[in-house]
Amino acid sequence: MKKLFTILLSLALLLAAAGCSGASSSAAPAPASSEVPASSEEPAPAEEGLAGKRVMLALNALGDLSFNDLLYQGLMAIKDTHNVEANYAEVGTDISTYEGYFFDFTDEGYDYVFLRPGFLDLCKANAADYPEMKFIVYDTTPLDECEVPNVYLQASTTYQAAYLVGMAAAGTTQTGVIGFVGGQENPLIYDFLTGYIQGATAVNPDIKVSSAFIGNYNDTAKAVELATAQISNNNADVIFAACGGASLGVFQTCLEKGVYAIGCDSDQYTIYNQKGETDLASVIMTSCLKKIDKSLEAIMNRVAAGEDVFAEVQAGRLGLADGAVGVADNENYQKIVPEEIRNQIADAEKKIISGEIEVKSAYYMTQAEIDSLIASVTP
Amino acid sequence: MNLIDAIGSFGFSILRLSTPIIFAALACTVTKKAGLLNMSVEGMMLTAALAGVLVSAVTQSVILGILGAVAAGCAVGLIVSTVNLVGKSELYLTCIAMNLIATGGTTFALYMITGTKGTTFSYLPSLAVPNIDIPLIKDIPLLGRIVSGHSVLTYLAFLTALLTWVLIFKTRLGLRLRSVGENANAAQSVGVSVTRIQTYAYIIAGAIGGLGGAFMSMSYVSWFSREMVAGRGFIGLSANNIANGNPFIALLFSIIFGSADATSNVLQLTDAGMAYFIKMLPYVITIVSMVIMSLLEINRRKKMKQQVVAKAIAELHLEGKDH
């Protein structure tokens, strides 16, 4: 009996480990080799000398139909343009395991390693020991800095895209109240919310924005409750879901209640449409795009062009000008958002790039400023 | 904004938020009566949530989906009780391990089946438990808005509280459960198999927890997403700890906790600071009431001891007089 128990327990632990942290602790988690097989067609000629370089992308986990899947797309695009050897690893969100991954990567000696923001401290401490490798930490905050000469930090100007979807929401609402469901109350999500509010008030100074936070990015049921409360208590008829995987709960509620939703990070309308979920897709009027794939591409293009991006200390913020953020322009957007508003949005896009419209980022606001901005539009 | 509508929607939210907590609390009640704390209810619910989605997607039957969820919950209960009672492992560690297995295992299964680690949505055509309107009541303005139109499982949650009470206090099995819980040695001495009764308790708890899991993935939403139970099992466990094995008090506290959740959700829209205070309340209530209850229990034992001692002394005196 004891033996049986021991076997059961070992099995159980194995299973738990497998499920929690990707398929294994090595850098190759996918069941098939994580090295992406060379595409059948002849790859584009690599003119810049990145060909054959080994690239590693560390992401949380594939399949979120959002940020992580976009990262993977970016990796694929880099592979196609520069003919590099593309690898990826699903490292999860548990920062305590990152040290192991980090040294797995350095043991492998990849040429370019894209890392989650949780790796930043490890990079600061250890990257200098591996001068032949280049580290790119993506999706950091714009306030982050790293002086190590082979580390580049990337951040996105998501507030610009949030400003644009805020305009779309304010231009589409019938009730004059729009909603926002965020994941956690951190600068990353506040950056969406403050941009959203600024954009909405630019279109309609009297707009009301009802905002709420789930506290994590998984609890779909809570997302359902918060969206329901915004719709029935505040009369919101457009809800911006910036809450990762839990966004699905917001979309479902919007579908049931007959109001519109706005997606985040990737073009959620197109994704769900492709998956055959046309009903759900039909309520997603647009998405606030953080085109992390374009950011990765932009960085590699600059590297390929011979630019020494790694010399930069402050996180480089890629945005509208680089095509790294934006508003999802698809048939639903064309159908739902009035043409006049769409033209205004296109106009605002140019003005933000030229600096004529200045959108404030939550990263450069104090908590008091953020709170008073939120309070000023609370219904 | 129509006030009646807002209140109605708020009341409706309370019942919907309370449902998984009620199932979790009742699942704990059964084992509590048999003398064991069911910390694995979170894992039971999560496993059941996935099983419900899988079975309903494959069979295209809601009933079979629910039964699948119940079976999965029972299986988890059986594993925990076997490991604990036959394997003689530490119960709490077993439960913690089981919860971790459920978290990792369901994500692993999700990945094996759909190739993603996020959600079954758009990969598996799983079904949802229908919502039902109660005739007559649904036409009453405010009450109808609150009470009618819920998932079948929500109504079943309230029924389960009643059934759990019947099971514990009105059946042979319930009597044995209680006797094992009150004093396992005494029960053993009159021929009740403690192991068997506690195993039954865990399997029944698994069935009830399984319904809670089915509610999460087949009612709240109609898909499974990783870690979707998100601590509701533990909140149910707290509700039961306060109730100390009484199904109706467990039901009451589940609803109180659900109300705190609903209040915090609505308050977030206007006053975020207050919302977090309200959100904290269930846990404060739990700790305070557990302290009060354990003080009462200590007091009761003290009194009982005094009575026993007094009785013994009195008997000694009597014996002394006889001689």
Side-chain angles (χ1 to χ4, degrees):
Chain A
M1 200 64 234
K2 213 162 192 179
K3 205 180 236 172
L4 177 69
F5 172 58
T6 317
I7 294 170
L8 266 177
L9 200 66
S10 330
L11 264 177
L13 283 175
L14 255 176
L15 198 64
C20 290
S21 61
S24 76
S25 63
S26 88
S33 153
S34 75
E35 188 182 322
V36 180
S39 50
S40 50
E41 76 250 46
E42 206 55 38
E47 59 275 86
E48 303 95 347
L50 279 180
K53 294 282 188 192
R54 300 174 67 213
V55 177
M56 164 52 74
L57 167 66
L59 40 76
N60 170 14
L62 289 178
D64 63 351
L65 306 181
S66 188
F67 192 71
N68 288 286
D69 288 353
L70 268 184
L71 279 169
Y72 184 76
Q73 274 182 32
L75 179 68
M76 290 301 95
I78 291 169
K79 174 175 159 287
D80 288 344
T81 5
H82 300 296
N83 195 20
V84 296
E85 178 199 308
N87 303 275
Y88 75 97
E90 295 178 305
V91 300
T93 53
D94 181 0
I95 292 182
S96 66
T97 63
Y98 284 3
E99 190 164 359
Y101 285 112
F102 185 86
F103 290 111
D104 279 347
F105 300 151
T106 54
D107 285 350
E108 275 290 322
Y110 294 106
D111 296 300
Y112 296 94
V113 185
F114 288 92
L115 295 167
R116 286 172 57 76
F119 281 94
L120 181 55
D121 285 338
L122 281 164
C123 277
K124 283 182 183 166
N126 303 306
D129 300 341
Y130 305 91
E132 72 287 357
M133 294 173 69
K134 306 285 188 206
F135 300 89
I136 299 120
V137 184
Y138 58 80
D139 204 30
T140 59
T141 80
L143 306 178
D144 283 323
E145 299 180 346
C146 185
E147 288 178 0
V148 183
N150 56 340
V151 178
Y152 175 74
L153 310 184
Q154 178 269 333
S156 304
T157 58
T158 39
Y159 61 94
Q160 296 175 338
Y163 182 92
L164 301 178
V165 298
M167 291 179 71
T172 310
T173 174
Q174 302 290 321
T175 59
V177 184
I178 58 178
F180 176 91
V181 176
Q184 285 175 320
E185 288 164 300
N186 56 28
L188 179 79
I189 300 295
Y190 275 135
D191 211 27
F192 285 111
L193 176 56
T194 52
Y196 184 62
I197 294 174
Q198 291 173 66
T201 45
V203 170
N204 174 5
D206 297 324
I207 196 84
K208 294 291 172 205
V209 184
S210 166
S211 52
F213 293 84
I214 295 173
N216 58 53
Y217 299 90
N218 291 329
D219 196 342
T220 36
K222 179 101 188 244
V224 169
E225 289 298 340
L226 292 174
T228 310
Q230 294 186 337
I231 296 166
S232 35
N233 289 42
N234 292 338
N235 241 349
D237 64 351
V238 178
I239 298 181
F240 180 15
C243 47
S247 305
L248 205 46
V250 176
F251 299 153
Q252 182 193 266
T253 312
C254 289
L255 176 63
E256 276 168 16
K257 302 272 181 185
V259 305
Y260 291 123
I262 295 174
C264 199
D265 289 352
S266 53
D267 184 351
Q268 310 268 305
Y269 166 78
T270 307
I271 286 175
Y272 285 119
N273 232 5
Q274 280 168 359
K275 288 176 172 292
E277 302 289 344
T278 47
D279 282 353
L280 191 90
S282 70
V283 301
I284 305 171
M285 55 181 249
T286 184
S287 294
C288 172
L289 301 181
K290 184 199 269 184
K291 302 182 205 164
I292 192 72
D293 53 332
K294 296 280 182 249
S295 288
L296 297 198
E297 283 181 67
I299 294 167
M300 284 315 267
N301 287 340
R302 285 168 64 184
V303 170
E307 199 177 321
D308 186 14
V309 298
F310 299 95
E312 291 173 24
V313 172
Q314 189 82 26
R317 225 174 173 189
L318 305 182
L320 275 179
D322 312 270
V325 299
V327 50
D329 187 359
N330 49 44
E331 67 224 43
N332 226 25
Y333 175 70
Q334 309 270 355
K335 197 173 79 191
I336 297 167
V337 181
E339 194 183 352
E340 189 200 333
I341 298 294
R342 278 185 277 130
N343 291 337
Q344 278 185 37
I345 290 172
D347 207 36
E349 203 169 321
K350 288 189 200 99
K351 285 181 177 164
I352 292 172
I353 294 174
S354 72
E356 199 174 323
I357 294 180
E358 206 174 322
V359 189
K360 268 202 240 169
S361 165
Y363 284 105
Y364 304 108
M365 295 163 85
T366 64
Q367 186 67 40
E369 282 172 333
I370 294 172
D371 287 344
S372 73
L373 179 65
I374 295 172
S376 69
V377 289
T378 299
Chain B
M1 181 70 222
N2 188 342
L3 188 66
I4 299 282
D5 238 31
I7 296 173
S9 150
F10 178 66
F12 187 90
S13 276
I14 289 179
L15 291 186
R16 183 163 61 176
L17 280 161
S18 305
T19 305
I21 305 177
I22 295 171
F23 280 123
L26 293 174
C28 299
T29 301
V30 178
T31 61
K32 177 92 176 178
K33 273 293 168 196
L36 300 172
L37 195 64
N38 182 9
M39 244 166 63
S40 61
V41 63
E42 180 89 4
M44 287 174 173
M45 288 170 72
L46 193 60
T47 314
L50 178 62
V53 163
L54 293 183
V55 175
S56 78
V58 171
T59 61
Q60 287 299 306
S61 154
V62 174
I63 305 271
L64 287 178
I66 294 176
L67 289 179
V70 167
C74 292
V76 173
L78 185 63
I79 293 171
V80 170
S81 57
T82 309
V83 171
N84 172 236
L85 302 169
V86 183
K88 303 285 181 212
S89 69
E90 162 66 40
L91 178 63
Y92 301 140
L93 294 183
T94 312
C95 286
I96 291 170
M98 197 65 230
N99 289 336
L100 290 174
I101 294 166
T103 308
T106 49
T107 311
F108 181 65
L110 187 64
Y111 181 57
M112 282 294 144
I113 294 160
T114 65
T116 75
K117 292 178 184 171
T119 167
T120 60
F121 182 78
S122 84
Y123 291 97
L124 292 177
S126 62
L127 305 177
V129 178
N131 295 341
I132 46 175
D133 286 324
I134 310 173
L136 294 178
I137 291 184
K138 76 170 198 286
D139 299 324
I140 306 172
L142 186 58
L143 191 70
R145 178 82 182 72
I146 296 174
V147 175
S148 179
H150 281 282
S151 158
V152 174
L153 287 173
T154 300
Y155 301 115
L156 192 60
F158 286 84
L159 189 64
T160 308
L162 182 67
L163 292 178
T164 310
W165 180 80
V166 170
L167 170 81
I168 293 174
F169 295 102
K170 297 290 166 198
T171 62
R172 268 168 61 98
L173 180 61
L175 183 65
R176 283 175 172 67
L177 270 179
R178 282 181 290 143
S179 68
V180 167
E182 286 286 327
N183 192 331
N185 288 334
Q188 185 94 50
S189 73
V190 294
V192 175
S193 167
V194 175
T195 308
R196 186 184 297 167
I197 295 296
Q198 289 184 332
T199 305
Y200 286 159
Y202 258 101
I203 293 175
I204 295 168
I208 300 174
L211 289 172
F215 180 77
M216 293 306 295
S217 65
M218 297 176 69
S219 242
Y220 235 128
V221 293
S222 54
W223 61 81
F224 176 85
S225 61
R226 65 189 287 182
E227 293 163 46
M228 73 183 310
V229 178
R232 289 176 177 80
F234 291 117
I235 296 178
L237 183 66
S238 317
N240 168 67
N241 280 341
I242 298 173
N244 202 17
N246 182 321
F248 294 127
I249 300 181
L251 175 71
L252 177 72
F253 272 91
S254 301
I255 295 174
I256 291 176
F257 288 0
S259 311
D261 227 353
T263 313
S264 129
N265 286 346
V266 172
L267 268 182
Q268 257 210 52
L269 307 181
T270 50
D271 182 353
M274 198 61 196
Y276 284 97
F277 178 75
I278 300 283
K279 206 171 171 171
M280 181 190 72
L281 276 184
Y283 308 101
V284 176
I285 295 174
T286 308
I287 290 178
V288 171
S289 41
M290 283 180 74
V291 169
I292 293 173
M293 277 184 19
S294 82
L295 286 177
L296 288 177
E297 179 69 18
I298 290 169
N299 215 5
R300 192 178 70 95
R301 288 210 183 147
K302 221 186 237 164
K303 265 194 191 144
M304 228 159 91
K305 220 176 195 171
Q306 280 168 356
Q307 277 171 1
V308 170
V309 172
K311 210 172 165 191
I313 291 173
E315 273 170 17
L316 273 177
H317 274 289
L318 281 177
E319 274 176 33
K321 272 178 191 165
D322 282 349
H323 290 290

